[in-house]
Amino acid sequence: MYLLLELALTLFAFASALWKPDAFSGPFRAVEKYISKIAHQQRSAVLLVGVAALAARLVVIPISPIPSPAIQDEFGHLLIADTFAHGKITNPTHPLWIHFESFSIIERPT
């Protein structure tokens, strides 16, 4: 379904560019002037890009919700993200660390 929508929009853009190349130049020029004003202010430009990225993700959430981890590496990434978010570099060693150690998991030293 998304492929058909993307194909239809691409064909529409291509056909309109061939049929009337200057049809959308006015609105694009206005948008370009507005964006070039913002681009000269570095903080505003960075803030605008960040807000636009967050807004785009919020708009897409009903269509594509936040995925839950499915493979082992994704759980590891969540653990290290939580560790860094709490201001730590490593997690403390578990009291029963000997039972969790394997060839790919080294508990000591932390």
Side-chain angles (χ1 to χ4, degrees):
M1 168 133 174
Y2 292 122
L3 183 64
L4 291 175
L5 178 63
E6 185 177 353
L7 182 63
L9 289 174
T10 302
L11 288 175
F12 173 74
F14 186 71
S16 64
L18 287 177
W19 183 50
K20 289 200 177 225
D22 294 331
F24 298 107
S25 64
F28 283 135
R29 241 183 237 120
V31 169
E32 185 179 3
K33 275 186 184 179
Y34 179 71
I35 290 176
S36 67
K37 286 180 186 176
I38 293 174
H40 289 287
Q41 303 167 2
Q42 186 176 5
R43 288 184 183 182
S44 297
V46 171
L47 184 66
L48 179 69
V49 168
V51 168
L54 288 173
R57 180 60 185 132
L58 286 174
V59 167
V60 177
I61 280 182
I63 300 168
S64 175
I66 298 170
S68 58
I71 57 174
Q72 187 175 5
D73 284 348
E74 292 173 349
F75 287 101
H77 292 145
L78 287 176
L79 176 64
I80 197 67
D82 185 56
T83 303
F84 291 153
H86 284 94
K88 299 185 285 184
I89 296 176
T90 63
N91 287 317
T93 304
H94 194 276
L96 301 172
W97 66 271
I98 195 88
H99 301 289
F100 296 109
E101 195 163 61
S102 71
F103 72 93
S104 65
I105 303 169
I106 302 171
E107 289 285 333
R108 291 186 77 184
T110 63

